[in-house]
Amino acid sequence: MLHKSLFSSSKKMEDCLSKKIEITVSEAEKRTGRNAMNMQETYTAYLIETRAVESQNEGQCSPVDSLWRRYSEFELLRNYLLVIYPHIVVPPLPEKRADFVWHKLSADNMDPDFVERRRIGLENFLLRVASHPVLCQDNIFYSFLTQEGGWKEMVNETGFQLKADSRLKALNATFRVKNPDKRFTELKHYSDELQSVISHLLRVRARVADRLYGVYKVHGNYGRVFSEWSAIEKEMGDGLQSAGHHMDVYAASIDDILEEEEHYADQLKEYLFYAEALRAVCRKHELMQYDLEMAAQDLTSKKQQCEELATGTVRTFSLKGMTSKLFGQETPEQREAKIKVLEEQIQEGEEQLKSKNLEGRDFVKSAWADIERFKEQKNHDLKEALISYAVMQISMCKKGIQVWTNAKECFSKM
């Protein structure tokens, strides 16, 4: 069944928006304006450009449509997708403020390097949504890409905020659900572990980056010393001067290396945030299971009340039973009227329970298909990122070997 659902979703991929239009976040611009409280604020706006793919394939140069969006609008879009598609692992946004940074990297959210990395992350978010077999077909998402004015009003008119589950309700369901689905419980545990592992990995990388930066920069001292030494030597002067130059180049190269490293760190961070998206799907399932259990409990209670009224026997202690003993029994007419009301409520409750059961089964089927799609994506992405990171480290070590090989040749010529 699982493979069939994956096959059908792969067929849907042919209709994905990413196949029809080219999406880029091409530019970031610092702006000032007034917020909802009429206070002056500084923010960053991002230029989204879209171009039809079909006309490009036909050899025509299609016009580029563009519009500006703030990070808060990206947040609004994602919140909408989370509520409307609770069974989907919605792609995360890049961080709003830098985290897991090594000491030479600025944590300021207005820092040009950070803004550039966030621009790349926002483009990646849009491409993730545009290539998702379900999310790509959403009209609000399409309007986000193509309609600058009135988009916020369009989102708010959907009333998605009213459908959002409260955190207190979700927390209550977590602790009170009696029969949780083992698969979702295990997935929730896995997402916690994934987040923990990636967090540790990012901290280790930040510590290594700090030390690596120090090691490379210290090589600059070799350059300075060799240069000073060359000034007092005649025969050895040229060799020492050349070796010092190689050391200076080596010391300066670390800035570009660590900038490239941040790209791999951002790929890991995406899956750090994906862990929360997984938990969101699990929480929604817990809420649905909790509502189902409450509906079943309420139906059982009403059936018991109806039986007690029909037979005149009270099986459990209740305030109603005590009241009857103190103030006398109800008349047959009153009892019949109550039985009729309860029977109607029972019928309604049975239909509601049936509906909730069907809704729950549909949710599990849809959610699990998307979770399998996500797992396949995650395994591919993280494998590629880790291989690329290893290749970068190997390249960096080879450069170090080359520097000292060059220095050796310089020394040999003295």
Side-chain angles (χ1 to χ4, degrees), residues 260-314:
E260 188 181 350
E261 262 206 17
E262 284 306 316
H263 170 67
Y264 298 116
D266 288 338
Q267 288 179 314
L268 289 174
K269 284 179 184 179
E270 183 186 17
Y271 280 93
L272 180 75
F273 306 140
Y274 254 125
E276 177 54 34
L278 277 175
R279 282 197 293 273
V281 175
C282 295
R283 282 196 298 270
K284 182 62 182 179
H285 180 263
E286 283 177 340
L287 271 169
M288 294 179 76
Q289 180 63 24
Y290 179 66
D291 285 345
L292 178 68
E293 289 176 6
M294 289 299 99
Q297 187 176 312
D298 184 57
L299 182 62
T300 301
S301 174
K302 282 184 168 58
K303 284 181 176 179
Q304 185 179 322
Q305 289 175 45
C306 192
E307 185 185 336
E308 288 172 356
L309 282 168
T311 59
T313 58
V314 180

Short mmCIF file of all heavy atoms in Angstrom, two decimals, residues 260-314:
data_model
loop_
_atom_site.label_atom_id
_atom_site.label_comp_id
_atom_site.label_asym_id
_atom_site.label_seq_id
_atom_site.Cartn_x
_atom_site.Cartn_y
_atom_site.Cartn_z
N GLU A 260 31.89 28.79 3.12
CA GLU A 260 31.33 27.63 2.43
C GLU A 260 30.75 26.63 3.43
O GLU A 260 29.71 26.03 3.20
CB GLU A 260 32.41 26.95 1.58
CG GLU A 260 31.87 25.85 0.69
CD GLU A 260 32.94 25.14 -0.13
OE1 GLU A 260 34.09 25.64 -0.15
OE2 GLU A 260 32.62 24.10 -0.71
N GLU A 261 31.42 26.50 4.57
CA GLU A 261 30.94 25.60 5.63
C GLU A 261 29.56 26.01 6.13
O GLU A 261 28.74 25.16 6.48
CB GLU A 261 31.93 25.60 6.81
CG GLU A 261 32.89 24.44 6.79
CD GLU A 261 33.39 24.07 8.18
OE1 GLU A 261 32.77 24.49 9.18
OE2 GLU A 261 34.39 23.36 8.27
N GLU A 262 29.31 27.32 6.21
CA GLU A 262 28.01 27.80 6.69
C GLU A 262 26.87 27.30 5.81
O GLU A 262 25.76 27.08 6.29
CB GLU A 262 27.99 29.33 6.75
CG GLU A 262 28.76 29.93 7.91
CD GLU A 262 28.33 29.39 9.27
OE1 GLU A 262 27.10 29.27 9.51
OE2 GLU A 262 29.20 29.06 10.08
N HIS A 263 27.17 27.12 4.53
CA HIS A 263 26.16 26.60 3.61
C HIS A 263 25.74 25.19 4.03
O HIS A 263 24.54 24.86 4.05
CB HIS A 263 26.73 26.58 2.18
CG HIS A 263 25.88 25.84 1.20
ND1 HIS A 263 24.63 26.28 0.81
CD2 HIS A 263 26.09 24.67 0.54
CE1 HIS A 263 24.11 25.42 -0.05
NE2 HIS A 263 24.98 24.44 -0.24
N TYR A 264 26.72 24.35 4.40
CA TYR A 264 26.40 22.99 4.85
C TYR A 264 25.71 23.01 6.21
O TYR A 264 24.82 22.20 6.47
CB TYR A 264 27.68 22.14 4.88
CG TYR A 264 28.32 21.99 3.52
CD1 TYR A 264 29.58 22.50 3.25
CD2 TYR A 264 27.62 21.37 2.49
CE1 TYR A 264 30.15 22.39 2.00
CE2 TYR A 264 28.18 21.25 1.22
CZ TYR A 264 29.45 21.76 0.98
OH TYR A 264 29.99 21.65 -0.27
N ALA A 265 26.11 23.95 7.05
CA ALA A 265 25.46 24.09 8.37
C ALA A 265 23.99 24.45 8.19
O ALA A 265 23.12 23.94 8.90
CB ALA A 265 26.17 25.16 9.20
N ASP A 266 23.69 25.32 7.21
CA ASP A 266 22.30 25.71 6.96
C ASP A 266 21.47 24.54 6.46
O ASP A 266 20.27 24.44 6.74
CB ASP A 266 22.25 26.86 5.95
CG ASP A 266 22.72 28.19 6.56
OD1 ASP A 266 22.68 28.30 7.80
OD2 ASP A 266 23.13 29.09 5.80
N GLN A 267 22.10 23.64 5.69
CA GLN A 267 21.39 22.43 5.24
C GLN A 267 21.02 21.54 6.43
O GLN A 267 19.93 20.96 6.47
CB GLN A 267 22.27 21.66 4.25
CG GLN A 267 22.39 22.33 2.90
CD GLN A 267 23.28 21.55 1.95
OE1 GLN A 267 24.37 21.11 2.32
NE2 GLN A 267 22.84 21.38 0.72
N LEU A 268 21.92 21.45 7.39
CA LEU A 268 21.63 20.67 8.61
C LEU A 268 20.54 21.36 9.43
O LEU A 268 19.66 20.70 9.99
CB LEU A 268 22.89 20.51 9.46
CG LEU A 268 23.97 19.56 8.91
CD1 LEU A 268 25.21 19.62 9.78
CD2 LEU A 268 23.45 18.13 8.84
N LYS A 269 20.62 22.69 9.50
CA LYS A 269 19.62 23.44 10.28
C LYS A 269 18.21 23.24 9.72
O LYS A 269 17.23 23.22 10.46
CB LYS A 269 19.97 24.93 10.28
CG LYS A 269 21.11 25.29 11.22
CD LYS A 269 21.41 26.78 11.16
CE LYS A 269 22.61 27.12 12.03
NZ LYS A 269 22.94 28.56 11.95
N GLU A 270 18.12 23.11 8.39
CA GLU A 270 16.80 22.89 7.80
C GLU A 270 16.15 21.64 8.40
O GLU A 270 14.96 21.65 8.73
CB GLU A 270 16.91 22.73 6.28
CG GLU A 270 15.55 22.58 5.62
CD GLU A 270 15.61 22.27 4.14
OE1 GLU A 270 16.68 21.85 3.65
OE2 GLU A 270 14.58 22.44 3.46
N TYR A 271 16.94 20.58 8.59
CA TYR A 271 16.37 19.35 9.15
C TYR A 271 16.23 19.42 10.66
O TYR A 271 15.43 18.69 11.25
CB TYR A 271 17.17 18.14 8.68
CG TYR A 271 16.75 17.78 7.28
CD1 TYR A 271 17.42 18.29 6.17
CD2 TYR A 271 15.61 17.02 7.06
CE1 TYR A 271 16.98 18.02 4.88
CE2 TYR A 271 15.17 16.75 5.78
CZ TYR A 271 15.86 17.25 4.70
OH TYR A 271 15.39 16.99 3.43
N LEU A 272 16.97 20.33 11.29
CA LEU A 272 16.75 20.62 12.71
C LEU A 272 15.33 21.17 12.87
O LEU A 272 14.59 20.79 13.77
CB LEU A 272 17.78 21.64 13.19
CG LEU A 272 17.71 22.06 14.65
CD1 LEU A 272 18.26 20.97 15.56
CD2 LEU A 272 18.50 23.36 14.88
N PHE A 273 14.94 22.07 11.95
CA PHE A 273 13.60 22.68 12.00
C PHE A 273 12.53 21.74 11.44
O PHE A 273 11.36 21.84 11.82
CB PHE A 273 13.60 24.01 11.24
CG PHE A 273 14.66 24.97 11.71
CD1 PHE A 273 15.38 25.74 10.81
CD2 PHE A 273 14.96 25.09 13.06
CE1 PHE A 273 16.37 26.63 11.24
CE2 PHE A 273 15.95 25.97 13.50
CZ PHE A 273 16.66 26.74 12.60
N TYR A 274 12.91 20.84 10.55
CA TYR A 274 11.96 19.85 10.03
C TYR A 274 11.46 18.94 11.17
O TYR A 274 10.35 18.41 11.12
CB TYR A 274 12.63 18.98 8.97
CG TYR A 274 12.19 19.28 7.55
CD1 TYR A 274 13.13 19.58 6.57
CD2 TYR A 274 10.85 19.22 7.18
CE1 TYR A 274 12.75 19.83 5.25
CE2 TYR A 274 10.46 19.47 5.88
CZ TYR A 274 11.41 19.78 4.91
OH TYR A 274 11.00 20.03 3.62
N ALA A 275 12.32 18.74 12.20
CA ALA A 275 11.93 17.89 13.34
C ALA A 275 10.66 18.43 14.00
O ALA A 275 9.77 17.67 14.38
CB ALA A 275 13.07 17.82 14.35
N GLU A 276 10.56 19.77 14.10
CA GLU A 276 9.36 20.38 14.69
C GLU A 276 8.16 20.18 13.76
O GLU A 276 7.03 20.00 14.24
CB GLU A 276 9.62 21.87 14.94
CG GLU A 276 8.43 22.64 15.48
CD GLU A 276 7.82 22.04 16.75
OE1 GLU A 276 8.56 21.47 17.58
OE2 GLU A 276 6.58 22.12 16.90
N ALA A 277 8.38 20.22 12.46
CA ALA A 277 7.29 19.99 11.51
C ALA A 277 6.74 18.56 11.64
O ALA A 277 5.53 18.34 11.53
CB ALA A 277 7.78 20.23 10.08
N LEU A 278 7.62 17.60 11.90
CA LEU A 278 7.19 16.22 12.15
C LEU A 278 6.34 16.14 13.41
O LEU A 278 5.30 15.48 13.44
CB LEU A 278 8.41 15.31 12.31
CG LEU A 278 9.08 14.76 11.05
CD1 LEU A 278 10.33 14.00 11.43
CD2 LEU A 278 8.14 13.86 10.26
N ARG A 279 6.80 16.84 14.46
CA ARG A 279 6.05 16.83 15.72
C ARG A 279 4.67 17.46 15.56
O ARG A 279 3.71 17.06 16.23
CB ARG A 279 6.84 17.55 16.83
CG ARG A 279 7.95 16.70 17.42
CD ARG A 279 8.43 17.27 18.75
NE ARG A 279 9.09 18.54 18.59
CZ ARG A 279 10.39 18.67 18.33
NH1 ARG A 279 11.15 17.61 18.19
NH2 ARG A 279 10.92 19.87 18.21
N ALA A 280 4.57 18.46 14.69
CA ALA A 280 3.27 19.12 14.46
C ALA A 280 2.25 18.12 13.90
O ALA A 280 1.08 18.12 14.30
CB ALA A 280 3.44 20.29 13.49
N VAL A 281 2.70 17.24 13.00
CA VAL A 281 1.80 16.20 12.45
C VAL A 281 1.40 15.23 13.56
O VAL A 281 0.23 14.84 13.66
CB VAL A 281 2.50 15.44 11.30
CG1 VAL A 281 1.62 14.29 10.81
CG2 VAL A 281 2.83 16.39 10.15
N CYS A 282 2.35 14.86 14.41
CA CYS A 282 2.07 13.94 15.53
C CYS A 282 1.08 14.55 16.52
O CYS A 282 0.17 13.88 17.00
CB CYS A 282 3.37 13.57 16.26
SG CYS A 282 4.53 12.64 15.25
N ARG A 283 1.26 15.86 16.81
CA ARG A 283 0.35 16.53 17.74
C ARG A 283 -1.07 16.57 17.20
O ARG A 283 -2.03 16.40 17.94
CB ARG A 283 0.84 17.96 18.02
CG ARG A 283 2.00 18.04 19.00
CD ARG A 283 2.17 19.45 19.53
NE ARG A 283 2.48 20.40 18.49
CZ ARG A 283 3.72 20.70 18.08
NH1 ARG A 283 4.76 20.11 18.64
NH2 ARG A 283 3.92 21.58 17.12
N LYS A 284 -1.19 16.81 15.89
CA LYS A 284 -2.53 16.85 15.28
C LYS A 284 -3.19 15.48 15.39
O LYS A 284 -4.40 15.40 15.70
CB LYS A 284 -2.42 17.27 13.81
CG LYS A 284 -3.77 17.39 13.11
CD LYS A 284 -4.64 18.47 13.76
CE LYS A 284 -6.00 18.56 13.09
NZ LYS A 284 -6.86 19.58 13.72
N HIS A 285 -2.43 14.42 15.19
CA HIS A 285 -3.00 13.08 15.32
C HIS A 285 -3.44 12.82 16.76
O HIS A 285 -4.50 12.23 16.99
CB HIS A 285 -1.99 12.02 14.89
CG HIS A 285 -2.55 10.63 14.99
ND1 HIS A 285 -2.31 9.82 16.07
CD2 HIS A 285 -3.37 9.94 14.17
CE1 HIS A 285 -2.95 8.68 15.90
NE2 HIS A 285 -3.60 8.72 14.76
N GLU A 286 -2.64 13.25 17.72
CA GLU A 286 -3.02 13.09 19.14
C GLU A 286 -4.32 13.82 19.45
O GLU A 286 -5.19 13.28 20.15
CB GLU A 286 -1.91 13.63 20.04
CG GLU A 286 -0.72 12.71 20.18
CD GLU A 286 0.40 13.30 21.01
OE1 GLU A 286 0.44 14.53 21.17
OE2 GLU A 286 1.25 12.54 21.50
N LEU A 287 -4.46 15.02 18.89
CA LEU A 287 -5.69 15.79 19.10
C LEU A 287 -6.90 15.07 18.52
O LEU A 287 -7.96 15.01 19.16
CB LEU A 287 -5.56 17.17 18.45
CG LEU A 287 -4.96 18.29 19.31
CD1 LEU A 287 -4.65 19.50 18.45
CD2 LEU A 287 -5.92 18.67 20.43
N MET A 288 -6.76 14.55 17.32
CA MET A 288 -7.86 13.83 16.67
C MET A 288 -8.21 12.56 17.45
O MET A 288 -9.40 12.24 17.62
CB MET A 288 -7.48 13.49 15.23
CG MET A 288 -7.33 14.73 14.35
SD MET A 288 -6.87 14.33 12.66
CE MET A 288 -8.40 13.73 12.01
N GLN A 289 -7.19 11.86 17.94
CA GLN A 289 -7.42 10.64 18.72
C GLN A 289 -8.11 10.97 20.03
O GLN A 289 -9.02 10.26 20.47
CB GLN A 289 -6.08 9.94 18.98
CG GLN A 289 -6.18 8.65 19.78
CD GLN A 289 -6.98 7.55 19.09
OE1 GLN A 289 -7.11 7.56 17.86
NE2 GLN A 289 -7.53 6.62 19.86
N TYR A 290 -7.69 12.08 20.66
CA TYR A 290 -8.29 12.52 21.92
C TYR A 290 -9.76 12.89 21.71
O TYR A 290 -10.63 12.50 22.51
CB TYR A 290 -7.51 13.72 22.47
CG TYR A 290 -8.07 14.28 23.77
CD1 TYR A 290 -8.03 13.52 24.94
CD2 TYR A 290 -8.61 15.56 23.82
CE1 TYR A 290 -8.55 14.02 26.13
CE2 TYR A 290 -9.12 16.07 25.00
CZ TYR A 290 -9.08 15.30 26.15
OH TYR A 290 -9.59 15.80 27.32
N ASP A 291 -10.07 13.63 20.64
CA ASP A 291 -11.47 14.00 20.32
C ASP A 291 -12.30 12.75 20.07
O ASP A 291 -13.48 12.68 20.49
CB ASP A 291 -11.51 14.89 19.07
CG ASP A 291 -11.05 16.31 19.36
OD1 ASP A 291 -10.98 16.69 20.55
OD2 ASP A 291 -10.74 17.05 18.40
N LEU A 292 -11.70 11.77 19.40
CA LEU A 292 -12.40 10.51 19.12
C LEU A 292 -12.73 9.77 20.43
O LEU A 292 -13.85 9.30 20.63
CB LEU A 292 -11.53 9.63 18.22
CG LEU A 292 -12.08 8.24 17.85
CD1 LEU A 292 -13.30 8.37 16.95
CD2 LEU A 292 -11.01 7.41 17.18
N GLU A 293 -11.76 9.71 21.31
CA GLU A 293 -11.96 9.03 22.60
C GLU A 293 -13.00 9.75 23.46
O GLU A 293 -13.82 9.10 24.13
CB GLU A 293 -10.63 8.93 23.35
CG GLU A 293 -9.65 7.94 22.72
CD GLU A 293 -8.30 7.91 23.41
OE1 GLU A 293 -8.15 8.58 24.46
OE2 GLU A 293 -7.39 7.21 22.92
N MET A 294 -12.99 11.08 23.44
CA MET A 294 -13.98 11.86 24.19
C MET A 294 -15.39 11.64 23.63
O MET A 294 -16.36 11.53 24.39
CB MET A 294 -13.62 13.36 24.15
CG MET A 294 -12.39 13.74 24.96
SD MET A 294 -12.55 13.38 26.75
CE MET A 294 -11.65 11.85 26.87
N ALA A 295 -15.49 11.58 22.30
CA ALA A 295 -16.79 11.35 21.65
C ALA A 295 -17.32 9.95 22.00
O ALA A 295 -18.51 9.77 22.28
CB ALA A 295 -16.67 11.50 20.14
N ALA A 296 -16.42 8.95 22.01
CA ALA A 296 -16.80 7.57 22.36
C ALA A 296 -17.24 7.49 23.82
O ALA A 296 -18.22 6.80 24.15
CB ALA A 296 -15.62 6.63 22.10
N GLN A 297 -16.52 8.20 24.68
CA GLN A 297 -16.84 8.21 26.11
C GLN A 297 -18.19 8.87 26.36
O GLN A 297 -19.01 8.38 27.16
CB GLN A 297 -15.74 8.98 26.86
CG GLN A 297 -15.86 8.92 28.37
CD GLN A 297 -14.68 9.63 29.05
OE1 GLN A 297 -13.52 9.42 28.71
NE2 GLN A 297 -14.99 10.48 30.00
N ASP A 298 -18.44 9.97 25.65
CA ASP A 298 -19.71 10.69 25.80
C ASP A 298 -20.87 9.83 25.30
O ASP A 298 -21.95 9.79 25.93
CB ASP A 298 -19.64 12.00 25.00
CG ASP A 298 -20.88 12.85 25.19
OD1 ASP A 298 -21.20 13.18 26.35
OD2 ASP A 298 -21.54 13.19 24.18
N LEU A 299 -20.66 9.09 24.20
CA LEU A 299 -21.70 8.21 23.65
C LEU A 299 -22.02 7.07 24.62
O LEU A 299 -23.19 6.75 24.86
CB LEU A 299 -21.23 7.66 22.30
CG LEU A 299 -22.21 6.76 21.55
CD1 LEU A 299 -23.49 7.52 21.19
CD2 LEU A 299 -21.56 6.19 20.28
N THR A 300 -21.00 6.48 25.20
CA THR A 300 -21.19 5.40 26.18
C THR A 300 -21.99 5.90 27.38
O THR A 300 -22.89 5.20 27.89
CB THR A 300 -19.81 4.86 26.66
OG1 THR A 300 -19.09 4.39 25.52
CG2 THR A 300 -19.98 3.74 27.66
N SER A 301 -21.67 7.13 27.83
CA SER A 301 -22.36 7.72 28.98
C SER A 301 -23.84 7.93 28.68
O SER A 301 -24.71 7.64 29.51
CB SER A 301 -21.69 9.04 29.34
OG SER A 301 -22.40 9.70 30.36
N LYS A 302 -24.14 8.42 27.48
CA LYS A 302 -25.54 8.68 27.10
C LYS A 302 -26.34 7.38 26.98
O LYS A 302 -27.51 7.30 27.34
CB LYS A 302 -25.59 9.48 25.80
CG LYS A 302 -25.28 10.96 26.00
CD LYS A 302 -25.43 11.74 24.71
CE LYS A 302 -25.41 13.23 24.93
NZ LYS A 302 -24.19 13.73 25.58
N LYS A 303 -25.69 6.34 26.43
CA LYS A 303 -26.36 5.04 26.32
C LYS A 303 -26.69 4.48 27.69
O LYS A 303 -27.75 3.87 27.90
CB LYS A 303 -25.46 4.07 25.55
CG LYS A 303 -25.43 4.32 24.05
CD LYS A 303 -24.54 3.32 23.33
CE LYS A 303 -24.60 3.51 21.81
NZ LYS A 303 -23.72 2.55 21.10
N GLN A 304 -25.76 4.67 28.63
CA GLN A 304 -25.99 4.19 30.00
C GLN A 304 -27.15 4.94 30.65
O GLN A 304 -28.00 4.34 31.31
CB GLN A 304 -24.70 4.38 30.83
CG GLN A 304 -24.81 3.78 32.23
CD GLN A 304 -23.51 3.95 33.02
OE1 GLN A 304 -22.43 3.83 32.47
NE2 GLN A 304 -23.64 4.24 34.30
N GLN A 305 -27.19 6.28 30.43
CA GLN A 305 -28.28 7.09 30.99
C GLN A 305 -29.63 6.63 30.42
O GLN A 305 -30.62 6.55 31.15
CB GLN A 305 -28.06 8.56 30.65
CG GLN A 305 -26.92 9.24 31.39
CD GLN A 305 -26.71 10.67 30.90
OE1 GLN A 305 -27.65 11.43 30.72
NE2 GLN A 305 -25.44 11.02 30.65
N CYS A 306 -29.62 6.36 29.11
CA CYS A 306 -30.87 5.94 28.45
C CYS A 306 -31.35 4.60 29.01
O CYS A 306 -32.54 4.40 29.27
CB CYS A 306 -30.63 5.84 26.95
SG CYS A 306 -32.13 5.66 25.97
N GLU A 307 -30.40 3.68 29.23
CA GLU A 307 -30.73 2.36 29.77
C GLU A 307 -31.27 2.47 31.20
O GLU A 307 -32.24 1.80 31.57
CB GLU A 307 -29.47 1.49 29.74
CG GLU A 307 -29.72 0.04 30.18
CD GLU A 307 -28.43 -0.77 30.27
OE1 GLU A 307 -27.43 -0.41 29.60
OE2 GLU A 307 -28.44 -1.75 31.04
N GLU A 308 -30.65 3.35 31.98
CA GLU A 308 -31.10 3.54 33.37
C GLU A 308 -32.50 4.10 33.44
O GLU A 308 -33.32 3.70 34.28
CB GLU A 308 -30.12 4.46 34.10
CG GLU A 308 -28.78 3.81 34.41
CD GLU A 308 -27.75 4.79 34.96
OE1 GLU A 308 -28.07 6.00 35.02
OE2 GLU A 308 -26.64 4.36 35.32
N LEU A 309 -32.79 5.06 32.53
CA LEU A 309 -34.14 5.65 32.51
C LEU A 309 -35.18 4.61 32.06
O LEU A 309 -36.30 4.57 32.58
CB LEU A 309 -34.17 6.84 31.56
CG LEU A 309 -33.57 8.15 32.10
CD1 LEU A 309 -33.41 9.16 30.97
CD2 LEU A 309 -34.47 8.75 33.19
N ALA A 310 -34.79 3.78 31.09
CA ALA A 310 -35.72 2.78 30.55
C ALA A 310 -36.03 1.68 31.55
O ALA A 310 -37.16 1.21 31.65
CB ALA A 310 -35.15 2.19 29.26
N THR A 311 -35.01 1.26 32.34
CA THR A 311 -35.18 0.15 33.28
C THR A 311 -35.48 0.61 34.69
O THR A 311 -35.92 -0.18 35.53
CB THR A 311 -33.91 -0.73 33.30
OG1 THR A 311 -32.80 0.08 33.71
CG2 THR A 311 -33.64 -1.32 31.93
N GLY A 312 -35.21 1.90 34.96
CA GLY A 312 -35.42 2.42 36.31
C GLY A 312 -34.34 2.01 37.29
O GLY A 312 -34.52 2.12 38.50
N THR A 313 -33.22 1.49 36.79
CA THR A 313 -32.10 1.09 37.67
C THR A 313 -30.89 1.98 37.42
O THR A 313 -30.61 2.37 36.28
CB THR A 313 -31.69 -0.37 37.40
OG1 THR A 313 -31.30 -0.49 36.03
CG2 THR A 313 -32.82 -1.33 37.71
N VAL A 314 -30.20 2.30 38.50
CA VAL A 314 -28.99 3.12 38.42
C VAL A 314 -27.80 2.24 38.77
O VAL A 314 -27.69 1.73 39.89
CB VAL A 314 -29.06 4.34 39.38
CG1 VAL A 314 -27.78 5.17 39.28
CG2 VAL A 314 -30.28 5.20 39.05
#
